[in-house]
Amino acid sequence: MSWKIWSLKKSPWVFHVNTGACNNCDIEIVNLLTPKFDVERFGIKLVGSPRHADALLVTGVVTRQAAPRLQEVYRQTSKPCVVFAIGACACDKGIFHNGYHVVGPVDKIIKEIDPNAIIAYVPGCPPKPEAMISGVVKALSTL
Amino acid sequence: MKKIVKKPVIAVGPFHPLQEEMEFFQLTVDGEIVTDIDMRLSYNHRGIEKISESLQFDQVPFLISRICGICSASHPLAYVQAAEEIADIKPPERALYVRTIINELERIHSHILWVGLAGHFIGYDTVFMWAWKYREPVLDLLEEITGNRNNYGNVKIGGCREDIPNEIKPRILKELDEIEKKMDMLTKAVLDDPVLHARLKGVGILSKADAIKYAVVGPTARGSGVDIDVRRDDPYAVYSDLDWNVITQPEGDVFAKAVVRLLETFESIKMVRQALKKLPDGPVTIEVKEIPPGEAVGHVEAPRGETFHYVRSDGGNRPVRHKVRAPSYVNVPSFKASCIGEKIADVTITLAAVDPCYSCTERVAAVDSRSNVIHDYENLLRLSREKTEKIKEGKK
C-alpha cells in the first residue's frame, strides 16, 4: 500500500458537490459535522476546494447545467479520488428519471472522462447519516 | 483621451463553500463596497412541473416533496389543497390536525437550521453546533411519526398517509418541553451576544417600501415590518382554531430576521402543543374516487414564506398543468435592494438572510446564443407553430 492510499484511508478530506439535489442529502451531509454524528473525530473533514479533496460527495441528479461543472470539479481533484454518489438521485436519477433536463446519473458523467474512476453508492432518499458513514467506511476498506 | 475604467467584479459560484447549492453571483465592487449585484440561478432546474404532468394525482405529492428537502411538508400540502378544492373533498378533521403538527414541526427544524447556518456564515461555529444539536430531537420525532427524517411524503389527497399514534403523544409533549427549554437558552444567548449584535445589526437592511416593492414573503417580509402570514390571512388546516401570534420586526436588517425566526419557533411549539391536546379521534384518510375537471390554487406558509401551487385537471388521472411558485423565487431578487452598499464581508450573511433555497427557484429560459434573445412563452409557441407550418407545407 502506497503512503498516499494509507493517508487517504486515515483521514479522507471530502468536497461536497450538489448537482441538482433537493437540499435533503446536503443538509444530512452537513448534519454529519454536527455534535450528534461528528465525523471529524474519524478524520473526515469537509474542505472548501476540490484541489484539497480525497473524495467527492456528489448529491443530486446531474442536470444539463451541472454535468460539465461536475466533470471540471472531478478533473481538479488529486487522484486517486473516490466519488460517492449520495442518495437515490445520484445513484440512478430516482424519481426524476424521465426529466428533460436531467443527464445523470453521476457514474455515467464521471466515467465519460475517467473510465477507471472509483465510485461508491449510498442509496436512500435521503440516506441517513449513519448510512453515509457506513458507506464511506466500506468504500475506504476496499482501497 | 478618456480612459475606460473597468470595475472589478467578484464572482461567487457556481460551486463554492458558502452555500450548499449551485448559484452564481457577480458582485461589482468599488473598493470594499458592493455597487451592483447580478445573479444567475436555475443550475438546479430538473423540470419538475413537466414530470408532474406525467404522474398520477396521488403520485405527485411524492415528487413535489422533493422540490426542496427542507419544505418537504409544505409543497405537497399546497398541491393537495388545490386538488381537494377541485374535487370538493373535505378531509377528516384528525388529518387536518396531523397536517398542522407535521408542518409546524418542519418549521421548527427549518428555523433552527437557519440560525445554525447563519452562525456558520459569520464564522461563529458555536451557534452552528448548538443549533444543529438542538434540531436533532425534532428530526427524531418526525422520523417516528412519518418514517423519514426529511422527506415525509405524509399528505395525500383526502387525508394523511400516516397517523400520529396516541401512545406517542406524551413523548412528543415531553420532547417539546425539552426543545423549548434548550431553544430558550439558545435564543437568550443569541439575542444578547455582543458579537452577533455587532455583525448583524444594521446589516443588509431591506426597508418596508423595498419589501413591498419586491413582494417578498415569509420571515423576510415579517422582518421588514410587513405583516403577512398565510396561516392567519387565509387559514388552512386548523390554524384558525389555534391561539398564536404573527411575529413582526420593523428594522429589516439581518438581526430582525433572526429574531423573527427564533420567536416563530416558540409560536410553532405552542401550536403543536395545542394541536396535540385538541387532536380528535377518527380516521385520517377518506377514499377519493376521481378528480373532476377544474382548476384550483393552493397556498401554504412554508418556513420561507408563501408557497403557491396551481393545478388544472381535465377529468383524467393526471394533472394537465401544475404550476409551482416557491417562496425563494420572490425573496432572492430582493438582494438588489439589500446587498448594494454593503461591504463584501457582510454580503455573505445578507445573501443567507432570506434563507434562500435555490432548488425551489429553478426556472428555465431558452436563449438564442447568436442574437442573445430570450425566448418567452409566446415566442416559443410561435416558433413551434411556424415549424409545424413548415413541415405541413413541405409535405404538400
Side-chain angles (χ1 to χ4, degrees), chain A residues 16 22 24 28 31 100 128, chain B residues 20 45 69 136 143 150-151:
Chain A
H16 173 204
C22 67
N24 236 333
E28 293 293 58
N31 232 334
Y100 60 83
K128 293 182 78 172
Chain B
E20 301 291 326
H45 180 82
E136 281 297 327
E143 188 180 2
N150 294 87
N151 274 334

Side-chain angles (χ1 to χ4, degrees), chain B residues 333-365:
Chain B
S334 72
F335 294 153
K336 275 261 183 210
S338 57
C339 286
I340 292 172
E342 295 290 332
K343 286 183 181 159
I344 299 171
D346 289 338
V347 163
T348 49
I349 184 65
T350 313
L351 292 182
V354 305
D355 201 355
C357 168
Y358 296 102
S359 56
C360 292
T361 60
E362 44 160 46
R363 291 291 184 277
V364 71

Side-chain angles (χ1 to χ4, degrees), chain B residues 245-256:
Chain B
N245 302 316
V246 177
I247 310 281
T248 52
Q249 288 282 322
E251 294 92 356
D253 53 1
V254 181
F255 194 75

Side-chain angles (χ1 to χ4, degrees), chain B residues 94-309:
Chain B
R94 190 179 172 93
L96 295 179
Y97 275 90
V98 173
R99 286 177 183 180
T100 312
I101 291 167
I102 302 280
N103 268 270
E104 289 312 309
L105 285 176
E106 179 196 71
R107 194 180 319 279
I108 297 169
H109 101 68
S110 172
H111 283 347
I112 303 178
L113 177 147
W114 179 84
V115 171
L117 284 183
H120 181 60
F121 290 150
I122 59 170
Y124 203 157
D125 269 355
T126 315
V127 176
F128 174 52
M129 292 293 172
W130 268 8
W132 282 58
K133 186 180 164 195
Y134 299 152
R135 176 175 161 265
E136 281 297 327
V138 190
L139 292 183
D140 290 344
L141 283 182
L142 283 166
E143 188 180 2
E144 197 164 345
I145 298 168
T146 65
N148 205 350
R149 283 161 60 92
N150 294 87
N151 274 334
Y152 321 115
N154 199 37
V155 276
K156 64 175 189 177
I157 299 172
C160 286
R161 191 172 56 83
E162 295 282 348
D163 193 6
I164 296 180
N166 281 331
E167 303 89 75
I168 70 163
K169 256 164 62 174
R171 217 177 73 74
I172 298 178
L173 287 169
K174 209 181 116 219
E175 284 286 354
L176 281 177
D177 289 340
E178 284 288 307
I179 294 163
E180 191 175 30
K181 234 185 276 167
K182 287 167 180 167
M183 280 308 295
D184 200 36
M185 195 265 280
L186 181 70
T187 309
K188 279 181 188 147
V190 166
L191 298 187
D192 294 343
D193 196 305
V195 179
L196 289 172
H197 275 242
R199 275 309 304 274
L200 303 183
K201 270 204 169 162
V203 170
I205 295 178
L206 182 69
S207 66
K208 189 173 177 179
D210 277 338
I212 294 170
K213 188 177 140 205
Y214 283 93
V216 294
V217 289
T220 313
R222 295 197 282 277
S224 297
V226 185
D227 191 10
I228 50 166
D229 194 319
V230 185
R231 291 173 292 171
R232 182 200 56 196
D233 302 337
D234 182 15
Y236 54 92
V238 289
Y239 285 108
S240 50
D241 298 348
L242 304 177
D243 174 34
W244 58 285
N245 302 316
V246 177
I247 310 281
T248 52
Q249 288 282 322
E251 294 92 356
D253 53 1
V254 181
F255 194 75
K257 291 176 185 122
V259 172
V260 167
R261 290 205 172 88
L262 280 168
L263 296 184
E264 268 185 16
T265 46
F266 291 104
E267 294 298 321
S268 295
I269 292 172
K270 217 162 85 181
M271 273 189 257
V272 177
R273 252 194 221 128
Q274 290 173 25
L276 274 175
K277 270 192 196 123
K278 287 185 181 173
L279 192 65
D281 287 327
V284 285
T285 175
I286 52 166
E287 202 183 335
V288 179
K289 288 267 163 40
E290 58 175 358
I291 310 285
E295 56 180 0
V297 159
H299 56 171
V300 160
E301 182 81 14
R304 284 154 190 74
E306 178 190 357
T307 171
F308 172 99
H309 283 243

Side-chain angles (χ1 to χ4, degrees), chain A residues 6-132:
Chain A
W6 174 79
S7 62
L8 193 156
K9 286 171 82 166
K10 199 83 180 160
S11 165
W13 283 14
V14 297
F15 180 71
H16 173 204
V17 192
N18 177 330
T19 60
C22 67
N23 262 338
N24 236 333
C25 302
D26 310 311
I27 55 173
E28 293 293 58
I29 286 172
V30 180
N31 232 334
L32 289 176
L33 306 175
T34 55
K36 191 170 178 189
F37 301 100
D38 196 13
V39 289
E40 276 187 28
R41 68 207 152 116
F42 305 128
I44 302 174
K45 197 178 164 210
L46 270 189
V47 289
S49 164
R51 291 179 203 279
H52 299 160
D54 304 312
L56 292 180
L57 298 180
V58 187
T59 58
V61 289
V62 186
T63 61
R64 270 174 215 280
Q65 295 254 32
R69 294 175 172 93
L70 172 63
Q71 291 177 341
E72 186 55 42
V73 166
Y74 183 74
R75 270 192 211 106
Q76 290 178 1
T77 55
S78 56
K79 309 290 178 309
C81 171
V82 189
V83 178
F84 288 94
I86 304 263
C89 296
C91 291
D92 67 342
K93 300 199 269 187
I95 200 164
F96 302 108
H97 61 93
N98 53 0
Y100 60 83
H101 208 249
V102 172
V103 292
V106 168
D107 52 358
K108 189 182 126 202
I109 302 296
I110 297 283
K111 283 190 171 157
E112 272 174 20
I113 55 165
D114 182 5
N116 301 320
I118 312 162
I119 298 177
Y121 304 87
V122 184
C125 187
K128 293 182 78 172
E130 294 93 330
M132 292 185 197

